[in-house]
Amino acid sequence: DNPETRWVRESFTKDKLLKSGNFQSYTANVTGGTDVATYNLSSRMQSANGVVDKNNSRLYTFSGGLRATLAEKLTIEYSGGYTNSLYGGMFNNNAIASPLGSTEDSTIQRTPNPDSTLRISLLPDHRETVNRFTTGLTTRYTPYDFLATRFTAGIDYRKNEQRIFNPIESAGWTSTPGGG
């Protein structure tokens, strides 16, 4: 992934802020079974590094399912899955207007050390981790052609954790005075 630089005026910004990124994704699936029971398993791994430092993500997912005919009129299905993901960035919602503005402004020429200004603006570190587990069980019973019943129960558990680190020296670039 190459950064879009047509709107960036200063070579300093291109050299210090932007970089080439990459994306990769791998998936594996297995299915099988008989007339009585079938199953499926799948997994996925994905990672991405953006064109701006700390703008990255990774994702791991695992899921599976089983369907079995216990009797001529009774079937049962089970499914479950787990997802773990991490999203990262250096600014709130990856809004990079402040550092770009500071290095793209004509006053950058008068700044004694533009590298230091940019370094301080890139200090904040925002991370969000998500763990999610889902599972479900469904039974179907059809005693007659005109009557069918279905019972489904499931759980969807999700835990988010967001960490925002704004060092004290970046206080001028963040909304958290004194760091936090």
Side-chain angles (χ1 to χ4, degrees):
D1 191 13
N2 293 315
E4 175 58 65
T5 59
R6 68 179 155 177
W7 307 111
V8 179
R9 295 188 325 226
E10 301 292 334
S11 61
F12 175 83
T13 305
K14 291 178 190 176
D15 297 341
K16 298 291 183 176
L17 181 65
L18 303 175
K19 62 180 177 123
S20 293
N22 62 54
F23 173 84
Q24 56 185 338
S25 181
Y26 304 96
T27 304
N29 298 298
V30 176
T31 59
T34 65
D35 292 342
V36 176
T38 59
Y39 65 89
N40 66 0
L41 299 169
S42 66
S43 64
R44 178 177 171 199
M45 191 218 60
Q46 173 180 307
S47 68
N49 292 308
V51 296
V52 178
D53 192 31
K54 299 180 187 176
N55 185 0
N56 52 46
S57 65
R58 71 155 169 70
L59 172 73
Y60 300 113
T61 63
F62 306 96
S63 62
L66 174 67
R67 180 181 177 157
T69 303
L70 302 179
E72 181 181 338
K73 299 180 182 205
L74 179 64
T75 62
I76 189 168
E77 296 178 22
Y78 170 78
S79 64
Y82 173 72
T83 300
N84 175 276
S85 57
L86 169 72
Y87 305 97
M90 66 182 121
F91 302 104
N92 192 15
N93 296 322
N94 282 329
I96 61 171
S98 294
L100 278 178
S102 69
T103 57
E104 288 292 293
D105 192 330
S106 61
T107 60
I108 196 71
Q109 311 307 336
R110 291 177 289 207
T111 302
N113 189 352
D115 189 36
S116 177
T117 302
L118 186 61
R119 183 189 65 77
I120 290 171
S121 69
L122 298 179
L123 287 175
D125 190 17
H126 295 210
R127 301 265 171 238
E128 182 176 9
T129 304
V130 178
N131 286 295
R132 186 174 186 190
F133 175 73
T134 57
T135 186
L137 179 67
T138 300
T139 59
R140 287 187 171 88
Y141 179 58
T142 312
Y144 306 104
D145 291 341
F146 63 90
L147 178 65
T149 62
R150 179 178 74 185
F151 174 77
T152 301
I155 296 172
D156 186 345
Y157 172 80
R158 178 181 170 128
K159 179 185 175 192
N160 285 38
E161 182 177 294
Q162 187 177 69
R163 302 221 176 222
I164 301 173
F165 177 67
N166 293 325
I168 290 173
E169 62 182 318
S170 70
W173 299 98
T174 68
S175 60
T176 309

